[in-house]
Amino acid sequence: MPLCTDEAGSVVRQRMSVPCGGECREVVGWFWHCARLSARQPGTCAYGGFLSPMTIDHYVARFGVRDRAQLVPLLQQVRRSHLPERRGALSALAEIGWHTIEPADVALLHRFIMSKLARERPQPLRAAKECLWWALPTDDQAAVLDAFGLSDPVPATVAMGAVVAAENRRHPIEECERVYVSAVLDGWTLVFGDPASHYPRDEHRIQESQESYFWETLMVNEPDDVKQAWLTRMSRPSRDERCAELSGRFGAAHWYKEAGDYEWGGWGIAENGETIRSAHLDDCVYEELTLHGDPHPSEEGLRAEPVSEWLLDHGFAPDAWDDIVDGIFMDRIGNLSDGVPFAEIRDAQWAEFQQRTAIPDAMTPMRIAERASVGPLTLGPHTRMAGHGVVALTERGRQGGGHRGALPI
């Protein structure tokens, strides 16, 4: 695991004295710049982002080794020395894999994380804006890990979890390698990521996918690696199927995903082994929400139809809100120097527009989550919290070699 700096920029480290020979000192030269950068970033993991995998590949070429793993003994020797470059060596080890970090550093990091967790209080989980998440009404973290096929849990702060969630959002088709499992929040455990690699591939599902309209019109022209990743995803049970399965074990299970511009979103609610309500939104621009199942109490007072459709049905010009947004945009073009974000102005105008028209808020995953389970963005002092979160590996992550890379504390 990585070593970290505290908020003052001091390194949390053990005291060791190991001679550093000529070959070791040659390695040191490669870490000097990395160590200097790391010292300027207080409050982050010492390996966090300061030594990229590409840089490590340069070391591989420089010393004529076949792969990164052959650098581990040299890097560990640098790490044991008193040289300032030892922090950079830890950066490189972490990028190769957390299993290459020696026990003394692992113990120090564990104590540092646990000290942070002891002071951590409920706070908005911005990770919910990054990727799909699941909500389960349980305080049994071990059961949650087992249900999702997760292993090798590492205690994790909210900051660590947010980075893992961002990793999962960047790879929407490929199966995630690790997920963040939250502390128990008002009786609910949240899982950020969409792990399915522990399910065996179903060849019948693959055949059906290859015969689908989506495959024949869009996927067939994609690169082979993209096609294979998509087929692998399609070979697993669907999200709603897994949600129903989880609800059979925990009594209820929900999944949520916020929609972005030209990015899908939706939610699903299952109880006692059956999906009772699901929704799919193609993207938040066109607001085309498709609902299945009977209405859920969490939807009361919220609007499912697009703004223009609601306005037309209630006697207003359908383009009334679009005209306001266009006006804001044109005004911002000539006033970019005032520093006021477009979203802030739009939200203020929307509040006034709602007062004039009485148009309800949209039915979004986040609003449904706040009413049906627990809202990740509304957590705070009023939230009951038990235990702590963890970052854990999926089957794909285990096959890929385990934990690696940088996570802020």
Side-chain angles (χ1 to χ4, degrees), residues 125-186:
L125 288 170
R126 306 296 176 187
K129 290 186 174 182
E130 299 293 343
C131 73
L132 179 146
W133 79 95
W134 302 78
L136 302 171
T138 181
D139 59 1
D140 190 342
Q141 189 176 83
V144 172
L145 294 175
D146 179 68
F148 283 93
L150 305 174
S151 67
D152 304 279
V154 176
T157 63
V158 170
M160 295 167 68
V163 173
V164 171
E167 290 175 353
N168 293 336
R169 182 183 181 183
R170 286 195 296 269
H171 303 287
I173 295 180
E174 296 180 0
E175 296 177 325
C176 57
E177 296 187 354
R178 55 185 175 183
V179 301
Y180 172 57
V181 181
S182 75
V184 182
L185 304 164
D186 281 341

Side-chain angles (χ1 to χ4, degrees), residues 49-319:
F50 307 121
L51 195 61
S52 69
M54 183 178 295
T55 306
I56 297 175
D57 289 339
H58 285 306
Y59 304 150
V60 171
R62 174 70 178 82
F63 292 100
V65 297
R66 294 182 178 180
D67 57 48
R68 298 177 177 186
Q70 292 179 274
L71 285 174
V72 170
L74 289 174
L75 296 173
Q76 290 175 338
Q77 190 176 0
V78 175
R79 177 61 193 156
R80 297 186 197 113
S81 73
H82 283 305
L83 295 168
E85 294 81 12
R86 63 197 299 272
R87 190 186 301 179
L90 187 59
S91 303
L93 287 169
E95 290 293 348
I96 293 171
W98 291 7
H99 64 281
T100 67
I101 305 301
E102 296 191 290
D105 282 332
V106 171
L108 282 170
L109 178 64
H110 179 77
R111 289 200 297 270
F112 184 60
I113 291 176
M114 295 309 294
S115 69
K116 288 278 189 177
L117 287 171
R119 301 190 300 271
E120 195 166 69
R121 297 293 179 266
Q123 58 183 292
L125 288 170
R126 306 296 176 187
K129 290 186 174 182
E130 299 293 343
C131 73
L132 179 146
W133 79 95
W134 302 78
L136 302 171
T138 181
D139 59 1
D140 190 342
Q141 189 176 83
V144 172
L145 294 175
D146 179 68
F148 283 93
L150 305 174
S151 67
D152 304 279
V154 176
T157 63
V158 170
M160 295 167 68
V163 173
V164 171
E167 290 175 353
N168 293 336
R169 182 183 181 183
R170 286 195 296 269
H171 303 287
I173 295 180
E174 296 180 0
E175 296 177 325
C176 57
E177 296 187 354
R178 55 185 175 183
V179 301
Y180 172 57
V181 181
S182 75
V184 182
L185 304 164
D186 281 341
W188 292 79
T189 297
L190 309 183
V191 178
F192 292 88
D194 193 14
S197 54
H198 56 294
Y199 286 95
R201 285 167 57 97
D202 186 328
E203 297 303 323
H204 179 67
R205 291 176 186 267
I206 291 179
Q207 182 178 349
E208 288 183 339
S209 298
Q210 290 176 316
E211 296 172 353
S212 69
Y213 175 81
F214 185 79
W215 172 268
E216 293 177 351
T217 57
L218 296 175
M219 291 303 300
V220 72
N221 296 318
E222 293 290 339
D224 287 344
D225 59 338
V226 174
K227 288 192 290 188
Q228 288 304 313
W230 185 79
L231 285 174
T232 297
R233 169 65 74 176
M234 293 299 103
S235 74
R236 317 294 192 194
S238 71
R239 197 167 290 112
D240 285 334
E241 286 175 320
R242 285 179 281 137
C243 193
E245 178 184 322
L246 289 166
S247 74
R249 181 167 181 172
F250 296 101
H254 305 177
W255 66 263
Y256 303 95
K257 184 183 181 298
E258 280 286 273
D261 292 348
Y262 306 105
E263 184 178 287
W264 76 275
W267 67 89
I269 299 175
E271 295 179 357
N272 301 317
E274 294 185 9
T275 297
I276 61 173
R277 187 64 157 168
S278 64
H280 185 90
L281 184 67
D282 289 334
D283 62 66
C284 68
V285 175
Y286 296 105
E287 300 184 298
E288 295 295 335
L289 183 64
T290 303
L291 295 164
H292 301 280
D294 295 330
H296 192 267
S298 60
E299 303 167 12
E300 185 176 354
L302 297 177
R303 169 177 51 82
E305 63 268 38
V307 172
S308 59
E309 184 177 326
W310 188 94
L311 292 173
L312 182 63
D313 291 343
H314 292 79
F316 298 96
D319 296 331

Side-chain angles (χ1 to χ4, degrees), residues 20-21 26 80 99 146 165 208 219 285 301 324 326 338 345 354:
C20 193
E26 188 174 4
R80 297 186 197 113
H99 64 281
D146 179 68
E208 288 183 339
M219 291 303 300
V285 175
I324 292 175
D326 290 343
D338 63 11
I345 299 175
Q354 278 190 301

